[in-house]
Amino acid sequence: MNIMTKLRKGLAGARNVVLSALFATALVAPLALPAYAQTNAAPAAATATTAPVAVPFDGKAVYKTAFEYLRDNHYTLVTPAARAAFTAKWEHKHDNDTALTTEKGTDIAVYEMMWSLGQRFDYYFPPAQTKAERQEVDATMGGIGLSLKEEGLAKAIKALGPKPTNEQVEPLLKMSDERPLVAAETPDGDTPAGKANIVKGDRIIAVDGVSVNGKTTDEVVSKIRGTAGSKVTLTIAHTGADGKVTTRPVVLTRAVITLHVVKTDYQGRIAHIRLSNFMSQFGLREMGMALQTAAQKNASGIVLDLRGNPGGDLGQVLQMASMFIDTGVILQQVERDGDHMVTITFSVTHDKFVVSQQSDDGSPAVTKEYDRIPVLIPATTPVIVLIDEGSASASEILSGTLQANHRAVVMGQPSHGKGVGQVVKQLPAERSMHITTFEFLPGGVKMDWVGVVPDIEVTMPADADPMDDPTTDAQLNAAKLELINIAIGNPTPARTQAQVDARRAELEKAHRGDFAKEVQYREEALKKAAEAAAKGADATNATINPPTKPTAPAPQK
């Protein structure tokens, strides 16, 4: 069933079913984002029940389901000849060996089959990653509402040089007196952490009396997690305005927390709106409220910050774009539909959201119209979108379409270059896959392998650490200055088309070079994982992971 069929059920239905490009996973990507102390909501009271019966692992079922979904949906297998070759190689590959008798062997077999298709952004998630993804989509969980970070970590990693190795980075991920665990931001006042008067910069020394030093952020968060309604004790050190440090134990009762993905602050009449991802079920509402508030405050300009935003739900980005654009093409999507490719164009008129579909099978185009979300920001209010190499997928759609429709100036660094989207498939044994099924063109502009090229490129200084010192955020500072320049009628001159084309070619060459290295990495990772599995070691979670994301090269002088 293609997205056109889903849209007949309404955009809300599409948003819940179709996920585009959820993660552009990177080795150290989590280091740039706060980790949240959270857990599942408290279970309802119930009478005593017998313990659930463990279901035996069925590797054949996992492999068969993954094979069939790849065969029937993958973007690269649209022709009968391609599907026949894929089927001949993989359908019965493990009928006569023991690979599918263990979880590790099955995971390796699925990785090998999936990666054979040569797509950069196909992902296979074991149970732990699948669970984490579901929690991020849900965005309503038990916890204390406190975001945490290892202070000084970014600076320590930068000191290692431009391309640090795993062996160099891993020791830095453990807390120490030099790199303490602190509150990344002041929590909302209605959360357990907020009610306990914990503020940004407070140091977490211990959890339930056990020091956090020598542990990673994830390990500490796992200790803070627990059933909603239960208690956890944090030892907090607070530095006052006079420099005096006071230490106190804080007993917190875990509660159901909504993780907000939209954060807004104001500098004068400039609204800085940061969107961390497009996955939360509350993201669309939060963005709408932020834009409505900016309009009510008569904001002189908006900085929409999509840096480090890995993407998420396609339906969300389509509707968010409608909040800015009065008329124009939001997105063209080319997707597989059986043996054919279908081009779907999403556009807006003043009062309608229009979806048209054209197949390469020669059939007539189909067009549907829906009520649209109204524009929330006046056309006279200038918008700057900030992106960087961590902005992927849905972030690239939103920034790209605002740029193509001349509704925003894009600043920062070129985006990730992820112009293909995935649909999530749940597999047996609590596993899941992200399968590439379509390519997207924001505003009708091809972006895969290239990314969104900023109108104004701004490099972050090597010694900048915006999380520890926001005043060092050169990109945000430049965006605010550009809004002032626009207001006084002196905007930065636009690049020529020749300059843009040259930069696009440069970026594509770099990304293809990175992927050639990734293919080599995949081959080595599979080999090492197979060897480890043969020895009985845990090979899948630590060894088979996508390598570090490609970084956009600096423009040539």
Side-chain angles (χ1 to χ4, degrees):
M1 179 172 61
N2 60 41
I3 194 169
M4 187 66 181
T5 304
K6 294 163 187 167
L7 278 167
R8 293 193 180 101
K9 300 180 181 179
L11 286 173
R15 185 170 69 251
N16 293 329
V17 178
V18 182
L19 297 178
S20 67
L22 291 173
F23 294 117
T25 305
L27 175 64
V28 295
L31 309 183
L33 301 172
Y36 283 87
Q38 58 195 30
T39 184
N40 294 325
T47 56
T49 58
T50 57
V53 178
V55 178
F57 177 77
D58 188 346
K60 290 184 178 180
V62 173
Y63 185 87
K64 181 176 184 292
T65 305
F67 163 78
E68 291 176 348
Y69 197 73
L70 287 168
R71 179 196 63 195
D72 296 340
N73 296 276
H74 201 275
Y75 187 78
T76 63
L77 299 178
V78 64
T79 67
R83 289 198 299 277
F86 179 78
T87 298
K89 182 173 183 179
W90 296 104
E91 183 174 20
H92 300 292
K93 181 177 177 63
H94 298 290
D95 285 1
N96 299 314
D97 61 34
T98 60
L100 306 182
T101 61
T102 67
E103 293 193 45
K104 287 175 284 189
T106 300
D107 290 340
I108 293 169
V110 174
Y111 271 113
E112 183 182 23
M113 174 173 58
M114 179 186 69
W115 278 351
S116 74
L117 295 173
Q119 234 306 321
R120 292 183 295 162
F121 300 109
D122 289 339
Y123 293 106
Y124 170 71
F125 285 170
Q129 292 163 294
T130 298
K131 180 180 179 182
E133 180 177 280
R134 288 172 181 164
Q135 289 178 336
E136 191 164 1
V137 173
D138 176 39
T140 305
M141 308 165 203
I144 63 172
L146 181 65
S147 59
L148 305 173
K149 70 172 183 176
E150 183 180 343
E151 190 171 53
L153 179 59
K155 186 176 295 184
I157 291 176
K158 287 180 181 178
L160 297 176
K163 295 184 178 180
T165 64
N166 287 2
E167 290 74 17
Q168 291 175 307
V169 172
E170 284 176 359
L172 300 179
L173 304 184
K174 295 184 178 181
M175 250 66 67
S176 65
D177 290 337
E178 294 74 26
R179 296 184 307 281
L181 184 67
V182 300
E185 54 190 31
T186 299
D188 293 338
D190 59 352
T191 64
K195 292 175 182 178
N197 297 316
I198 297 174
V199 298
K200 179 179 180 178
D202 280 356
R203 179 178 173 181
I204 290 79
I205 296 176
V207 179
D208 287 333
V210 179
S211 172
V212 302
N213 279 358
K215 296 180 174 60
T216 66
T217 304
D218 285 345
E219 289 171 339
V220 176
V221 169
S222 70
K223 298 298 182 183
I224 296 176
R225 289 171 177 165
T227 304
S230 63
K231 298 183 183 299
V232 60
T233 300
L234 304 185
T235 305
I236 303 292
H238 173 77
T239 303
D242 58 358
K244 182 179 179 181
V245 178
T246 56
T247 302
R248 63 186 174 113
V250 179
V251 180
L252 301 163
T253 301
R254 299 177 178 98
V256 175
I257 303 295
T258 296
L259 306 181
H260 299 289
V261 295
V262 176
K263 301 286 186 180
T264 307
D265 60 73
Y266 287 83
Q267 180 178 326
R269 290 174 55 210
I270 294 177
H272 176 211
I273 302 174
R274 187 176 189 101
L275 176 64
S276 58
N277 64 63
F278 292 83
M279 294 178 63
S280 166
Q281 61 179 306
F282 306 110
L284 189 64
R285 182 178 65 187
E286 291 181 11
M287 179 58 72
M289 292 175 63
L291 294 177
Q292 285 181 322
T293 300
Q296 291 166 359
K297 289 189 173 185
N298 194 26
S300 62
I302 292 173
V303 178
L304 177 60
D305 198 337
L306 301 179
R307 291 176 296 175
N309 184 323
D313 179 43
L314 177 61
Q316 282 194 26
V317 71
L318 293 173
Q319 296 190 65
M320 284 185 191
S322 302
M323 298 175 182
F324 294 87
I325 299 171
D326 183 47
T327 59
V329 174
I330 294 178
L331 177 71
Q332 284 187 327
Q333 178 173 311
V334 182
E335 70 172 29
R336 179 182 167 187
D337 184 14
D339 292 346
H340 297 280
M341 301 303 292
V342 176
T343 299
I344 304 168
T345 301
F346 302 91
S347 59
V348 285
T349 64
H350 182 67
D351 58 355
K352 294 294 181 182
F353 188 94
V354 183
V355 183
S356 48
Q357 174 179 283
Q358 179 67 67
S359 175
D360 65 6
D361 64 1
S363 60
V366 178
T367 299
K368 296 287 185 180
E369 293 185 349
Y370 305 89
D371 292 336
R372 61 163 292 171
I373 289 179
V375 174
L376 300 181
I377 294 296
T380 55
T381 302
V383 178
I384 301 255
V385 180
L386 282 180
I387 60 172
D388 63 11
E389 61 271 15
S391 305
S393 183
S395 295
E396 296 176 287
I397 293 175
L398 184 55
S399 57
T401 194
L402 292 179
Q403 182 186 57
N405 284 280
H406 307 290
R407 184 58 190 93
V409 174
V410 177
M411 297 180 65
Q413 286 293 292
S415 63
H416 195 69
K418 185 179 187 301
V420 290
Q422 288 70 40
V423 173
V424 180
K425 173 66 176 178
Q426 299 301 320
L427 303 176
E430 299 181 338
R431 285 153 167 79
S432 61
M433 297 181 77
H434 292 226
I435 305 302
T436 300
T437 61
F438 61 91
E439 178 180 3
F440 47 78
L441 295 80
V445 178
K446 184 175 177 61
M447 185 266 284
D448 196 30
W449 293 101
V450 176
V452 176
V453 179
D455 300 295
I456 305 170
E457 290 197 34
V458 182
T459 302
M460 192 75 78
D463 59 349
D465 192 355
M467 289 191 69
D468 289 340
D469 183 2
T471 64
T472 66
D473 192 338
Q475 293 170 337
L476 178 58
N477 293 338
K480 292 176 179 178
L481 179 60
E482 184 65 19
L483 284 173
I484 294 173
N485 289 335
I486 292 172
I488 63 176
N490 188 33
T492 300
R495 287 177 170 180
T496 67
Q497 190 59 51
Q499 290 173 323
V500 173
D501 291 343
R503 185 62 168 135
R504 286 174 60 87
E506 184 182 8
L507 291 164
E508 181 169 357
K509 180 179 179 181
H511 286 308
R512 290 190 183 278
D514 285 330
F515 185 57
K517 296 175 184 177
E518 181 175 331
V519 170
Q520 183 179 2
Y521 162 87
R522 291 177 174 186
E523 293 172 351
E524 294 173 354
L526 286 169
K527 181 180 178 181
K528 291 178 181 179
E531 291 172 351
K535 297 176 182 178
D538 186 359
T540 56
N541 288 333
T543 304
I544 302 183
N545 278 310
T548 304
K549 65 188 176 188
T551 300
Q556 295 180 351
K557 300 296 185 182

